Amino acid sequence: MRILVAPDKFKGVLSAREVAENIAAGLREVLRDAKIDIVPLADGGEGTAEVICDARGGSWVKCNAHDALGRDIEARYALIGNLAVIEMSEAAGLLRLLGQKYDVDLASTFGVGEMILDARARGATEIVVGLGGSATNDGGFGMARALGYEFFQVTDAVSELKKLTRIQRPKNLTLPKIVAAADVRNPLLGENGATRVFGPQKGIQPDKIDIFEFALTQLADVVAREFGFDYRNEPGTGAAGGLGFGLMSFCGATMRSGFEIVAEAVGLESKMHDVDLVITGEGSLDRQTLAGKTPAGVAKLARKLGKRVYAMVGRAEEDRQVREIFDRVYELGGNKSQAAELLRESARELGEDLKKTFNAQRPTFNVE
């Protein structure tokens, strides 16, 4: 029996590799003769650079940048030949601000622009920017300022974008090819946009939602008027507080599914061809899973190749449409600190189920 274990991380608890290794360990306790391969995955959020770097044999580089609050930090990103893989959260992510109070109105993606410039200086001809885990809601305004764009009638506050009258491009700005890797398909504005869906998670109070929405609307209006294109309704432009929109508008970026980028980088389809079944997972299985998260991507590819596919998750919503894309969902429950052991336990349970299925399918012979 050949098994492919291809999960994402359990956010804030276990990396994708740790999840995969624990699942494999549990399986081996029961299925001693099984051949088990692990392929850690990501979908554009945190962990994307690590997964691609490990799979492609890249290296890590560090650069000086600023976090979402404007403090000096040392950020890192992966460099694989002429390809740089940046995670916006490395500079402008919530993880940088754990336990600290901050004003999302002043939270900036400036550091992301600094990382892009550093990658260009190191000779990168293509940059993948993973969108996920952001502390910002600035539509890429801060990043654009780092690249040299000038915004008139605007201070550092995102809400001041409502006063924006004009944007001036920097002279002679040349950038590598940039791909924005998103794990959601939300547009910049509206009921499913950056502010209304993700803003409250970053501390935007209900009475401030309309202010931020108007500010990003003004940004999109001025970009359309000044530059002659309008990406506000493109899927994924609302990712990372609208950074997807900013990358397309100010860097000429292409928007792609983060899962597809990672799957290509690790050769997931070729690794899946000769296995009997696939196991995936992540911390939470819910409606957002269907919008481009790793488990849904793995399930879709497994179905295409005619493979059984199972999910191991920390928690799962009772949503038929989400659950039915898998042959079975194993929900860990319990305390997050016990995630590793709970994964091994679920893997042992799956292993026992597979043994019963395998034995039931074996031919029997009557000997007289």
Side-chain angles (χ1 to χ4, degrees):
M1 185 184 299
R2 294 196 59 176
I3 301 172
L4 182 67
V5 182
D8 203 332
K9 64 189 174 298
F10 278 31
K11 190 172 182 178
V13 181
L14 297 172
S15 69
R17 178 165 293 280
E18 290 170 331
V19 173
E21 288 174 346
N22 278 287
I23 292 173
L27 289 170
R28 290 189 180 107
E29 292 181 35
V30 179
L31 304 172
R32 301 186 186 280
D33 296 326
K35 180 174 175 53
I36 302 170
D37 296 320
I38 67 172
V39 182
L41 294 175
D43 50 26
E46 295 106 322
T48 296
E50 182 176 2
V51 166
I52 295 177
C53 186
D54 288 350
R56 299 276 297 275
S59 59
W60 291 100
V61 298
K62 296 179 179 179
C63 68
N64 295 323
H66 292 85
D67 71 6
L69 300 183
R71 300 174 301 184
D72 293 330
I73 58 168
E74 187 176 68
R76 74 168 192 164
Y77 60 91
L79 198 58
I80 306 115
N82 293 326
L83 169 67
V85 184
I86 290 171
E87 293 177 13
M88 72 81 59
S89 60
E90 181 68 15
L94 280 170
L95 286 178
R96 286 273 183 192
L97 310 178
L98 284 178
Q100 300 181 49
K101 292 183 179 180
Y102 79 102
D103 184 352
V104 69
D105 194 21
L106 298 175
S108 173
T109 52
F110 192 89
V112 181
E114 293 174 306
M115 293 177 72
I116 289 172
L117 293 176
D118 188 83
R120 183 190 67 174
R122 294 177 191 265
T125 57
E126 181 176 357
I127 301 173
V128 171
V129 182
L131 307 180
S134 72
T136 54
N137 199 83
D138 73 350
F141 161 55
M143 174 203 68
R145 294 180 96 180
L147 298 177
Y149 282 84
E150 292 186 65
F151 294 76
F152 292 88
Q153 308 301 319
V154 178
T155 65
D156 291 335
V158 178
S159 59
E160 289 298 304
L161 287 170
K162 63 187 179 184
K163 301 177 182 178
L164 181 64
T165 58
R166 186 165 64 90
I167 305 172
Q168 183 171 305
R169 283 192 176 102
K171 293 181 180 179
N172 305 316
L173 175 66
T174 57
L175 293 172
K177 174 185 176 182
I178 295 180
V179 179
D183 61 354
V184 298
R185 295 179 58 79
N186 302 70
L188 178 68
L189 304 170
E191 290 303 313
N192 294 315
T195 301
R196 298 194 186 281
V197 174
F198 305 113
Q201 302 170 13
K202 304 168 189 180
I204 299 180
Q205 298 301 310
D207 61 335
K208 302 291 185 183
I209 291 289
D210 288 344
I211 295 173
F212 280 86
E213 181 76 359
F214 184 79
L216 293 187
T217 301
Q218 182 68 4
L219 175 64
D221 287 346
V222 175
V223 165
R225 186 180 71 237
E226 296 278 295
F227 302 153
F229 45 72
D230 191 345
Y231 299 121
R232 74 184 76 192
N233 295 320
E234 291 293 317
T237 50
L243 181 59
F245 170 84
L247 285 165
M248 293 185 74
S249 298
F250 304 118
C251 303
T254 301
M255 183 71 64
R256 287 195 63 196
S257 157
F259 172 77
E260 291 179 2
I261 291 171
V262 172
E264 289 175 7
V266 304
L268 181 62
E269 184 167 354
S270 64
K271 288 179 168 63
M272 202 179 283
H273 268 289
D274 298 324
V275 303
D276 297 299
L277 62 102
V278 182
I279 303 170
T280 187
E282 69 174 353
S284 180
L285 203 64
D286 52 36
R287 292 295 297 181
Q288 282 198 350
T289 300
L290 300 176
K293 300 286 188 178
T294 293
V298 172
K300 181 179 180 181
L301 184 55
R303 296 301 188 199
K304 170 187 167 185
L305 299 176
K307 311 296 182 181
R308 287 177 290 165
V309 57
Y310 301 87
M312 293 187 181
V313 300
R315 56 170 292 275
E317 287 185 355
E318 291 298 330
D319 187 301
R320 179 180 174 185
Q321 191 175 358
V322 175
R323 286 175 175 263
E324 69 184 6
I325 65 175
F326 306 100
D327 287 275
R328 182 175 171 184
V329 174
Y330 292 80
E331 189 173 3
L332 274 59
N335 193 300
K336 286 184 178 181
S337 63
Q338 300 174 311
E341 173 53 35
L342 291 171
L343 276 170
R344 294 193 294 273
E345 182 179 314
S346 292
R348 289 192 291 268
E349 182 183 349
L350 172 57
E352 294 291 353
D353 292 342
L354 292 173
K355 278 175 65 175
K356 293 174 185 176
T357 303
F358 178 73
N359 288 333
Q361 292 174 346
R362 291 174 67 178
T364 58
F365 301 93
N366 292 320
V367 180
E368 295 186 3

